[in-house]
Amino acid sequence: MLTLGLAISCVANAFAGETLQLKLVSDREVVWRGAPQEVVVKIDLSAIAGKNKSHRTPLNLAVVLDKSGSMTGAKLEKTKQAALQLVDRLTPNDVFSLIVFSDHAEVLASAQKVEDKDALREKIQSIRADGSTALYAGVKKGADQIEEYLSGKRINRVILLSDGLANVGPSSPRDLRRLGSQLSEHGISVTTIGVGDDYNEDLMAALAEASDANYYYVKDTEKLPEIFAKELGEMLAVAARNVKIEIVCPDGVRPLGFIGRPETFENQRANVNLSQFTTGQNRYVFLRCLVNGDQPEVARVKVNYTDELNGGAVEVADEVAKIRFTDNREVAEKSLNGAVLAQKEIILTAVAKDEAMAEADAGNYKKAATILAAQGGALSRAYANAPATVQVQLRGELDNLSGFTNQFENGQYSSGARKLMQSQSWGTRNSK
């Protein structure tokens, strides 16, 4: 992958051996001077793989389970099986609490060191399904339990599982997003697991996104133990936490925002916070800027994080994105980076899915199909200049979009299809 303009040699050798590596790559190396031009900078962060930790970060984990009437049967049994397997993998250094909710939220096991697993197993086995869905109260009680052992030296995580619509207490995506943001400010993240086709996916995704945790759509109940194991596995392999990205654009550059992310600029400055990276994980943010003139510097990016592979030390990585200008339009066109352009279109595909869902929710199926078809065209144009590895991803996106476009054209829009589309969009936008 090409690096950004004048920063080529610096970026190529930067931070070798550091746990979190930062690269800045633009969609073009040279910009035509004849008119204002948009430049997209990929802020690429990756955690090194293959380095063993001398010790793992202890967990402060609250499991919040829906036990409303709709959970009766296989859903609840598989949920309990997943929770039991999770407890089996915890150690006495970990903290665990168990909360259930239906008409109201109840603490079955208060926050405690995992020293008596038999007692915890008994609490899990005792869960019975009945009542409504006080989801907000369940998350709130889970967070309260986390607060008992809240520590910057622990991974503080709520795992929420539900199969139904929140119908007791605050129940809108805005309410849950606000709660997720508040918890994130205290160092608590909330992973959400939606089971079946009857829960509110916008609510569950908003909560997870606001706290930068994970969101899972689980259609097949049999997969619940696998999902719990995956979530736990990620927490046990954390390489970096409390990742804070600061982006500053100089005077003469107009920041247009981020593709697929809500963060905004104020006084040429913006911040993006990511909760954690597991070993080998790669995450990225796409920054849009408008450049005009001879200002070579597009953005300064500084990353602070807690290095869990280096004893919890606070580390810093920083880099400058630069470009060059030319009076020759052909030279500018030849400097385009096919990989970044293609990856940008993949993020824009997630944005297009969100827009199409909004139209379909309003009954405008033809409009939804038009939005997806147009984005399919953009993906096809990006395909020609993309590297082979990215072409494989583009082909998958094109096939995926074609399927959803055909459904909308035929007036088909099931709850399951919407959840699948929304889950895909969420995963792309959050590079998960």
Side-chain angles (χ1 to χ4, degrees):
M1 186 177 292
L2 293 176
T3 50
L4 185 57
L6 301 181
I8 291 176
S9 60
C10 179
V11 172
N13 299 314
F15 312 115
E18 295 288 351
T19 293
L20 208 56
Q21 298 178 331
L22 168 66
K23 291 183 181 180
L24 305 181
V25 193
S26 75
D27 64 347
R28 64 201 67 208
E29 182 180 344
V30 184
V31 175
W32 182 53
R33 192 181 280 110
Q37 302 283 312
E38 179 176 317
V39 173
V40 174
V41 178
K42 181 184 180 184
I43 302 169
D44 193 320
L45 283 166
S46 58
I48 63 171
K51 182 176 179 180
N52 294 324
K53 300 171 65 174
S54 58
H55 71 283
R56 72 165 176 85
T57 308
L59 308 182
N60 180 12
L61 185 61
V63 174
V64 180
L65 302 179
D66 183 347
K67 73 175 192 77
S68 61
S70 58
M71 286 288 293
T72 301
K75 287 180 185 177
L76 185 57
E77 290 309 308
K78 280 296 176 182
T79 297
K80 293 196 292 187
Q81 178 185 332
L84 288 167
Q85 291 177 2
L86 184 150
V87 167
D88 285 342
R89 293 183 61 186
L90 299 179
T91 73
N93 287 327
D94 299 315
V95 174
F96 177 84
S97 55
L98 177 65
I99 297 88
V100 294
F101 63 92
S102 54
D103 296 326
H104 62 279
E106 176 186 0
V107 178
L108 281 191
S110 58
Q112 59 192 272
K113 295 287 188 69
V114 183
E115 296 171 339
D116 188 347
K117 290 188 177 182
D118 287 340
L120 293 176
R121 292 188 189 100
E122 186 176 332
K123 293 290 187 182
I124 293 169
Q125 292 285 25
S126 72
I127 301 172
R128 300 291 181 267
D130 60 51
S132 300
T133 311
L135 187 148
Y136 188 99
V139 176
K140 196 72 172 59
K141 275 198 181 295
D144 291 342
Q145 292 301 306
I146 293 287
E147 291 278 359
E148 294 294 320
Y149 284 83
L150 186 65
S151 168
K153 296 182 179 180
R154 292 183 179 274
I155 295 172
N156 305 291
R157 178 69 57 89
V158 174
I159 299 179
L160 166 69
L161 181 145
S162 180
D163 77 329
L165 298 173
N167 50 25
V168 177
S171 58
S172 71
R174 178 178 297 179
D175 292 330
L176 272 296
R177 180 177 287 279
R178 185 181 300 114
L179 176 60
S181 297
Q182 292 169 351
L183 295 179
S184 180
E185 290 174 0
H186 286 84
I188 301 171
S189 54
V190 185
T191 284
T192 61
I193 303 171
V195 183
D197 289 337
D198 296 324
Y199 69 91
N200 184 330
E201 61 269 26
D202 293 334
L203 181 153
M204 298 286 268
L207 179 55
E209 188 167 42
S211 62
D212 193 49
N214 294 319
Y215 161 59
Y216 302 95
Y217 162 44
V218 183
K219 188 174 182 65
D220 183 359
T221 305
E222 293 292 324
K223 293 186 178 296
L224 281 174
E226 176 185 327
I227 296 297
F228 270 68
K230 181 177 185 294
E231 180 68 10
L232 180 60
E234 286 193 9
M235 287 188 283
L236 298 182
V238 169
R241 295 193 294 136
N242 306 320
V243 181
K244 301 184 185 301
I245 310 171
E246 180 185 63
I247 304 100
V248 180
C249 292
D251 293 338
V253 174
R254 179 186 170 194
L256 302 176
F258 303 99
I259 301 177
R261 294 192 65 92
E263 293 88 353
T264 57
F265 277 80
E266 184 174 348
N267 298 324
Q268 299 290 102
R269 186 184 303 267
N271 294 283
V272 176
N273 296 329
L274 304 177
S275 63
Q276 66 184 42
F277 279 69
T278 57
T279 54
Q281 185 178 19
N282 174 242
R283 300 184 68 182
Y284 42 83
V285 176
F286 281 84
L287 167 66
R288 297 173 58 229
C289 295
L290 194 66
V291 300
N292 184 18
D294 295 316
Q295 167 61 268
E297 183 177 309
V298 179
R300 289 184 174 271
V301 179
K302 182 178 180 180
V303 181
N304 287 273
Y305 64 96
T306 301
D307 189 343
E308 292 298 328
L309 301 185
N310 189 27
V314 175
E315 302 287 353
V316 179
D318 58 79
E319 191 50 64
V320 181
K322 295 181 179 180
I323 54 174
R324 292 185 285 116
F325 289 89
T326 180
D327 293 317
N328 188 321
R329 190 193 292 265
E330 184 178 352
V331 170
E333 290 295 322
K334 286 183 177 179
S335 78
L336 293 175
N337 187 316
V340 175
L341 287 169
Q343 291 161 343
K344 178 187 73 173
E345 290 302 331
I346 290 172
I347 299 293
L348 287 172
T349 298
V351 175
K353 287 178 179 178
D354 290 341
E355 294 172 353
M357 283 188 291
E359 293 293 343
D361 290 344
N364 302 323
Y365 296 153
K366 294 298 183 184
K367 177 66 173 176
T370 299
I371 291 171
L372 294 186
Q375 184 57 28
L379 286 173
S380 295
R381 290 188 293 274
Y383 185 90
N385 297 314
T389 52
V390 183
Q391 284 183 338
V392 172
Q393 192 175 1
L394 288 173
R395 174 51 56 193
E397 290 285 356
L398 281 165
D399 291 343
N400 182 266
L401 273 191
S402 177
F404 285 125
T405 302
N406 289 337
Q407 289 182 44
F408 285 137
E409 287 176 341
N410 294 322
Q412 299 172 347
Y413 189 50
S414 68
S415 175
R418 188 188 193 283
K419 284 176 170 57
L420 179 60
M421 182 183 293
Q422 191 256 16
S423 175
Q424 292 172 350
S425 169
W426 186 91
T428 301
R429 287 185 291 101
N430 292 280
S431 56
K432 297 258 189 167

